Amino acid sequence: MYFTFKMYLLIQLSYSLHELPELYFQKVKKEEWTNKALHSLAGLVLVAVPYALNFNRLLLVLLVLHHLAEWVFHLAQLLQTVDKEEKFSRVVRLSSTVLQIVARLGSIILAVLTLWYGLALLENQSLDIKAGQFNTPTIRFSALAGIILLQMYLIFKVISQEISRSRETVASVQPVPKSKVAKKDKPKKMYAFSKED
């Protein structure tokens, strides 16, 4: 493996690992601590397991797809924040959502092609820990199931966020009907006539 690829994977591992003590230093609320700690541990496991099983090339391509989609998503959020007149907000948000779903589906297709078909064609499909050979059907199908479950969860998360955003925009666009205030009759002014008139 090239040095740059290995460095990229090590940076991913170290970033996920450093998030755990960072929660303490940031003084995160107890309610949020469990969610963020699970997110960090999941990132650590999802990079460490394929790295240890020598599925490095597949891991690298899947990470690049994931980070590219996330980068476009955060760029779209930044543009929506800056765009005061909301000229490009809808188009950017829609393109970001579509790109995220396409990246997730592309990850599933790539994982199926690699783990189900590609590695199954290799002659040596025995477990050899010393040589770093983990190309057995059980390990490949377990990795494939993990990738598919993760990508389906991420697709579900993107779609549910988009549905909640569209509900918020519909609720903010629809005017709230004003209740009709009963017109009060103006009291008639009484003129007091003096006796001199």
Side-chain angles (χ1 to χ4, degrees), residues 35-148:
N35 246 355
K36 292 188 177 193
L38 285 175
H39 187 268
S40 300
L41 287 174
L44 182 66
V45 168
L46 291 172
V47 175
V49 169
Y51 181 74
L53 295 176
N54 285 333
F55 295 140
N56 297 329
R57 292 180 183 144
L58 178 63
L59 174 64
L60 186 68
V61 172
L62 293 179
L63 280 175
V64 168
L65 273 174
H66 174 73
H67 289 302
L68 180 67
E70 290 293 319
W71 181 74
V72 171
F73 173 71
H74 291 299
L75 191 65
Q77 283 184 329
L78 180 66
L79 189 61
Q80 288 176 4
T81 304
V82 173
D83 189 17
K84 298 291 183 189
E85 299 172 6
E86 296 185 9
K87 292 180 180 177
F88 304 109
S89 295
R90 290 182 185 168
V91 174
V92 169
R93 189 177 76 194
L94 180 65
S95 62
S96 168
T97 303
V98 168
L99 180 66
Q100 281 192 344
I101 292 173
V102 167
R104 307 300 178 226
L105 291 175
S107 297
I108 291 173
I109 292 169
L110 185 66
V112 167
L113 289 175
T114 303
L115 294 172
W116 188 279
Y117 295 111
L119 291 177
L121 298 176
L122 292 177
E123 292 177 9
N124 189 8
Q125 292 189 17
S126 61
L127 182 64
D128 187 9
I129 297 174
K130 289 182 181 179
Q133 178 67 21
F134 297 99
N135 188 15
T136 63
T138 306
I139 293 175
R140 282 187 292 121
F141 295 145
S142 299
L144 181 61
I147 291 170
I148 289 174

Side-chain angles (χ1 to χ4, degrees), residues 16-44:
S16 296
L17 191 60
H18 109 281
E19 284 182 330
L20 293 172
E22 190 72 24
L23 294 174
Y24 173 74
F25 293 120
Q26 288 179 351
K27 298 181 180 176
V28 176
K29 296 177 184 176
K30 289 182 181 179
E31 301 85 32
E32 298 174 0
W33 197 91
T34 306
N35 246 355
K36 292 188 177 193
L38 285 175
H39 187 268
S40 300
L41 287 174
L44 182 66

